[in-house]
């Protein structure tokens, strides 16, 4: 049944509210944080997740944190914001949107030395609201640019969740699919379940069903078979960090899909906002990749599924080389190869 959807994470009466994504799809629970420590924990444990949503959460975390502190001067506000940014930035390392939003929050008050502390707190709040509004618009622009690439009847494979649950309210990769649906195109989606935490099976399937989109969940090891059978027209995924040359970090398993797509001559698209591009990194080798708890692999729903003492490799992300990516769909338009030149040019433009 269709569920009335709230945003993924938002501000309400002094608290940060969010859909607890660890409870989906079985339960739709709205949770709240009234301390920055609780928000940090919600990010760390993936109750709030997805690169753009992490940016929104981090900005709201600064607002939450500064309210509990008592800075008396502009300098003390700056010190507190710096401390909050360092703390929130330690929750998860890969999605650059989180650090981008924290940098925006610092910048929002850096030049306001003559303002009162209350005015500075208000400026931080307004910046967080602006980041939210920009996320709303950005995702819709990605959708609009991407929609033009989708043909009526396309069957699209996606990985993890780059939908409304990964952003404020619309999505990047799934935003393209929502836009195509709004344009009257009939799209079907295959959602990789996305081991180990099943963002595809739990979250992508849930939100697409909610939107009346034809979605089929597959285990991650079924994608090659579908491609070989000619069932996939395009692969569209999101991103957590894109280096200057186009190398792209996204959920573990994305790289494998890109290799498969190339082998089967299927277009492989990355949909991402400009805030996901990190032009300070020349290539993907220096993108920090989060390593997560081995229990995510050895346990499932509390049940043991591998020997407790076995060694586990559990990176949350992998890096897809730019040579396997067909195009980037961004809020500033489509970026074609050669990526190093075209990313630089597009990110220097205002849209
Ligand atoms: O570990 P997660 O669930 O935060 O990973 C999310 C992804 O990898 C998404 O594909 C990415 O953040 C893009 S979201 C628009």
């Amino acid at each position: 049944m269709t569920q009335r959807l709230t945003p993924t994470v938002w501000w309400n009466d002094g608290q940060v509210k969010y859909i607890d994504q660890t409870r989906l799809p079985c339960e739709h629970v709205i949770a709240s944080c009234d301390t920055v420590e609780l928000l940090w924990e919600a990010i760390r444990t993936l109750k709030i997740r997805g690169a753009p949503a992490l940016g929104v959460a981090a900005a709201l975390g600064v607002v939450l944190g500064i309210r509990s502190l008592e800075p008396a001067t502009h300098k003390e506000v700056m010190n507190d914001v710096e401390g909050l940014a360092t703390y929130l930035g330690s929750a998860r390392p890969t999605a650059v949107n989180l650090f981008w939003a924290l940098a925006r929050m610092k910048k929002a008050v850096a030049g306001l030395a003559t303002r009162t502390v209350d005015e500075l707190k208000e400026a931080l709040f307004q910046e967080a609201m602006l980041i939210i509004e920009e996320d709303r618009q950005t995702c819709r622009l990605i959708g609009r640019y991407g929609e033009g690439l989708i043909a009526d009847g396309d069957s699209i494979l996606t990985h993890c969740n780059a939908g409304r649950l990964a952003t404020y309210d619309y999505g990047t990769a799934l935003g393209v699919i929502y836009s195509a649906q709004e344009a009257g195109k009939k799209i079907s989606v295959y959602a990789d379940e996305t081991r180990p935490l099943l963002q595809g099976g739990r979250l992508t399937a849930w939100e697409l069903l909610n939107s009346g989109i034809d979605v089929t969940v597959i285990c991650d090891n079924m994608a090659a078979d579908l491609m070989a059978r000619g069932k996939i027209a395009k692969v569209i995924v999101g991103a957590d960090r894109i280096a200057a040359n186009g190398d792209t970090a996204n959920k573990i398993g994305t790289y494998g899909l890109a290799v498969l797509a190339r082998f089967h001559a299927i277009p492989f698209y990355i949909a991402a906002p400009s805030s996901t591009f990190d032009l300070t990194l020349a290539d993907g080798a220096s993108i920090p990749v989060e390593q997560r708890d081995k229990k995510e692999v050895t346990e499932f729903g509390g049940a043991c599924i591998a020997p407790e003492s076995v060694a586990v490799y559990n990176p949350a992300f992998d890096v897809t080389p730019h040579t396997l990516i067909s195009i980037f769909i961004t809020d500033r338009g489509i970026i074609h190869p050669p990526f190093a030149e075209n990313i630089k040019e597009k990110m220097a433009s205002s849209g």
Side-chain angles (χ1 to χ4, degrees):
M1 205 180 62
T2 303
Q3 184 105 35
R4 218 184 129 277
L5 293 172
T6 61
T8 297
V9 52
W10 71 103
W11 183 261
N12 181 258
D13 200 18
Q15 296 189 324
V16 176
K17 298 245 182 202
Y18 60 93
I19 301 174
D20 182 345
Q21 298 191 37
T22 60
R23 308 283 286 273
L24 286 169
C26 302
E27 296 171 295
H28 183 255
V29 175
I30 304 295
S32 48
C33 304
D34 53 10
T35 67
V36 69
E37 288 80 11
L38 285 174
L39 185 64
W40 186 96
E41 192 264 350
I43 293 173
R44 181 73 202 150
T45 55
L46 274 60
K47 291 174 180 161
I48 305 168
R49 48 142 302 279
L54 292 180
V56 169
L60 293 177
V62 172
V63 176
L64 201 56
I66 202 77
R67 287 164 71 104
S68 67
L69 298 169
E70 291 178 356
T73 62
H74 177 260
K75 189 162 185 277
E76 286 178 20
V77 170
M78 288 306 297
N79 283 342
D80 286 347
V81 171
E82 187 67 48
L84 288 164
T86 303
Y87 176 61
L88 286 160
S90 70
R92 295 193 75 191
T94 304
V96 74
N97 309 62
L98 191 150
F99 303 94
W100 165 86
L102 292 170
R104 287 262 311 245
M105 295 301 280
K106 286 191 241 174
K107 200 167 164 214
V109 283
L112 304 183
T114 57
R115 305 288 180 86
T116 66
V117 168
D118 281 349
E119 285 170 342
L120 295 172
K121 288 185 175 178
E122 178 60 19
L124 287 169
F125 178 75
Q126 291 307 332
E127 187 67 11
M129 295 305 113
L130 190 60
I131 286 172
I132 287 177
E133 185 49 33
E134 285 177 16
D135 186 76
R136 293 187 68 254
Q137 290 176 16
T138 291
C139 286
R140 283 161 179 81
L141 282 169
I142 291 170
R144 216 171 302 150
Y145 285 120
E147 180 271 306
L149 304 165
I150 308 298
D152 191 23
D154 267 357
S155 172
I156 293 167
L157 177 64
T158 191
H159 190 68
C160 193
N161 173 267
R164 54 174 51 119
L165 289 166
T167 62
Y168 179 71
D169 71 348
Y170 193 73
T172 56
L174 300 192
V176 172
I177 289 163
Y178 294 135
S179 284
Q181 182 195 41
E182 286 158 23
K185 296 176 189 170
K186 184 149 174 39
I187 308 299
S188 54
V189 177
Y190 284 97
D192 273 354
E193 70 177 350
T194 316
R195 278 282 288 148
L197 296 181
L198 305 179
Q199 288 92 330
R202 294 186 301 105
L203 309 176
T204 295
W206 181 82
E207 68 164 87
L208 290 178
L209 277 179
N210 244 296
S211 298
I213 289 173
D214 174 13
V215 54
T216 302
V217 173
I218 60 168
C219 299
D220 299 338
N221 51 4
M222 297 169 187
D225 175 76
L226 276 177
M227 290 183 182
R229 290 173 191 278
K231 300 278 189 196
I232 306 295
K234 279 145 196 144
V235 180
I236 312 182
V237 298
D240 286 84
R241 195 185 292 234
I242 302 165
N245 71 344
D247 292 351
T248 296
N250 190 49
K251 179 54 55 191
I252 188 75
T254 303
Y255 176 25
L257 273 190
V259 173
L260 287 175
R262 174 59 55 89
F263 182 80
H264 293 95
I266 296 168
F268 185 87
Y269 299 160
I270 302 278
S274 28
S275 52
T276 304
F277 287 79
D278 182 354
L279 302 194
T280 67
L281 302 183
D283 58 41
S286 43
I287 296 178
V289 172
E290 178 182 8
Q291 300 290 327
R292 293 191 60 89
D293 195 318
K294 64 181 278 188
K295 282 195 175 149
E296 292 179 353
V297 176
T298 58
E299 292 183 7
F300 196 80
C304 167
I305 57 166
E308 203 188 333
S309 59
V310 77
V312 167
Y313 175 58
N314 186 21
F317 304 96
D318 57 25
V319 177
T320 300
H322 65 277
T323 47
L324 295 176
I325 296 166
S326 309
I327 53 165
F328 291 91
I329 307 168
T330 80
D331 49 305
R332 299 184 183 186
I334 307 292
I335 305 181
H336 295 271
F339 290 131
E341 294 94 299
N342 292 343
I343 287 174
K344 193 172 172 198
E345 189 188 322
K346 204 59 111 177
M347 291 305 125
S349 76
S350 56

